Amino acid sequence: MMIFLGLLIIAIGAFCQSSCYVPINKIKNWSWESYWLIQGVFAWLVFPFLGALLAVPTGHSLFELFSEANSFNLWMTILFGVLWGVGGLTFGLSMRYLGVALGQSIALGTCAGLGTIMGPVLLNVFFPELNALDSLTFAVILGVVVTLIGIAIIGIAGAMKSNTLSEEDKKAAVKDFNFPKGIIIALLAGFMSGCFNVGLEFGKGITFAETPDIFKTLPATLLVTLGGFVTNAIYCFYQNQKNKTWGDYKNKSVWGNNLLFCILAGALWYSQFFGLSLGKGFLTDYPTLMTLAFCILMALNVVFSNVWGIILKEWKGVSKATICVLVLGLIVLIVSTFLPQLI
């Protein structure tokens, strides 16, 4: 029952994250850099801060927690957040060139595998006494491999889509569709996005002993997203200057609409890691699932993003064979969520 509850909560978070690009489509008369920054204020600062407060027992504060934390671990958590920020930027671009379904599939699949493996490997480099590599059991590696197989199958479906649709049909589904360019960006996004889980690994000890298990990773999540916000803010301000889009912020006629959908997008995005923290709180007695939780989250993100891709008609006009390959990939991803626990 505990496993079911933990996975269900993670799944709900994944569904919400996969839905975060839907409200973004409702934003009017703002450039990409402007709405990306504003939604990031909520996704990477406001909601993570509010979430981290849940991990603070009565009589304590976040300032106390961070000031007393191991400074090396704290700054490494933020550093990997900065690196993850690069993945966040290119992640948005992968949606632009591949669409919600395929872009998230490739980026999140790469992120799932590397994020799960890189954390223990790097912890072992800096803290060999922790024996972090022991967490990479056969079941964990199998889960990662099966997840990557599912992602590869979906990638094949994307290639089939690219080869069978006319340029007109591609543009109708995804305005700026560019498969070669999109794949490169999505792979880079996935590689850098894997740094999020590495940051969580370095910051998992930054918590109060009295904090309930379901909230323990929320302070580290705030530190990682803080680092990511810095990267994204610098780039967005650079694009504002380059493209002369500072006027977006002065357009009072759309602020009400755009702020509402930026808040909604930010809340949906953050819910994946809020759900990850809550879900892991139910999995503490299952070390394999604890290690694989991030990979499971990313796999479910891919499943739900493709559901949205179908709803948004991004796969409209493709052959039945392409749809069959896509569905096969989704089934493999769903199996990867439960397979390791059956071993």
Side-chain angles (χ1 to χ4, degrees):
M1 186 63 178
M2 297 296 282
I3 292 178
F4 174 78
L5 286 175
L7 292 178
L8 177 62
I9 292 172
I10 292 174
I12 292 172
F15 174 77
C16 291
Q17 187 280 335
S18 301
S19 306
C20 73
Y21 286 91
V22 177
I24 283 179
N25 290 331
K26 301 293 185 179
I27 293 174
K28 301 176 181 178
N29 302 324
W30 271 4
S31 61
W32 177 89
E33 56 268 21
S34 298
Y35 75 67
W36 191 253
L37 177 64
I38 299 303
Q39 70 86 28
V41 169
F42 295 97
W44 308 321
L45 291 181
V46 175
F47 290 113
F49 174 75
L50 295 176
L53 291 179
L54 295 174
V56 180
T58 303
H60 297 278
S61 68
L62 280 176
F63 177 79
E64 173 192 346
L65 175 63
F66 294 149
S67 62
E68 295 180 356
N70 180 297
S71 59
F72 177 79
N73 283 14
L74 186 144
W75 286 109
M76 287 295 283
T77 303
I78 295 175
L79 172 62
F80 278 101
V82 171
L83 296 176
W84 161 76
V86 177
L89 284 170
T90 48
F91 187 80
L93 290 175
S94 70
M95 305 301 107
R96 176 179 177 180
Y97 294 118
L98 296 177
V100 173
L102 186 56
Q104 289 205 54
S105 298
I106 303 301
L108 293 177
T110 309
C111 176
L114 292 177
T116 300
I117 295 173
M118 284 167 54
V121 169
L122 290 176
L123 278 178
N124 188 71
V125 171
F126 290 101
F127 306 105
E129 68 278 7
L130 297 179
N131 298 316
L133 290 179
D134 291 347
S135 65
L136 298 179
T137 62
F138 172 76
V140 169
I141 297 299
L142 177 63
V144 171
V145 170
V146 174
T147 298
L148 294 179
I149 290 174
I151 299 301
I153 293 173
I154 292 176
I156 292 172
M160 293 170 67
K161 169 186 175 181
S162 177
N163 292 332
T164 58
L165 293 181
S166 66
E167 289 299 318
E168 182 178 340
D169 289 334
K170 293 175 186 177
K171 299 300 181 182
V174 181
K175 182 179 179 181
D176 297 316
F177 187 83
N178 187 319
F179 187 72
K181 186 176 183 179
I183 284 293
I184 294 173
I185 292 175
L187 290 174
L188 175 62
F191 177 79
M192 299 304 292
S193 294
C195 292
F196 197 108
N197 197 45
V198 179
L200 291 182
E201 287 293 315
F202 274 99
K204 64 183 179 182
I206 304 176
T207 186
F208 290 103
E210 312 94 292
T211 299
D213 288 338
I214 60 175
F215 298 139
K216 281 191 180 297
T217 64
L218 294 178
T221 300
L222 170 60
L223 293 174
V224 176
T225 57
L226 173 63
F229 177 78
V230 171
T231 304
N232 281 266
I234 291 173
Y235 181 78
C236 288
F237 286 145
Y238 166 74
Q239 289 296 316
N240 281 141
Q241 182 65 29
K242 177 184 176 182
N243 299 327
K244 303 185 186 304
T245 53
W246 294 106
D248 289 346
Y249 307 116
K250 300 178 182 179
N251 190 349
K252 297 180 180 179
S253 64
V254 297
W255 255 105
N257 175 84
N258 292 358
L259 184 62
L260 173 64
F261 287 112
C262 281
I263 292 173
L264 180 57
L268 289 172
W269 184 92
Y270 173 66
S271 63
Q272 65 179 312
F273 292 110
F274 186 75
L276 178 65
S277 181
L278 267 60
K280 289 176 72 173
F282 289 92
L283 303 176
T284 52
D285 293 332
Y286 309 95
T288 297
L289 288 178
M290 284 289 286
T291 303
L292 269 176
F294 183 80
C295 186
I296 291 171
L297 173 67
M298 295 299 110
L300 291 174
N301 280 345
V302 172
V303 172
F304 290 124
S305 67
N306 276 281
V307 171
W308 273 115
I310 293 172
I311 293 173
L312 295 174
K313 300 181 179 180
E314 293 179 357
W315 294 92
K316 182 180 180 180
V318 301
S319 65
K320 291 183 179 179
T322 301
I323 295 297
C324 288
V325 174
L326 173 64
V327 172
L328 175 62
L330 296 179
I331 292 173
V332 172
L333 285 179
I334 293 173
V335 169
S336 74
T337 303
F338 302 97
L339 180 62
Q341 194 57 31
L342 300 176
I343 298 177

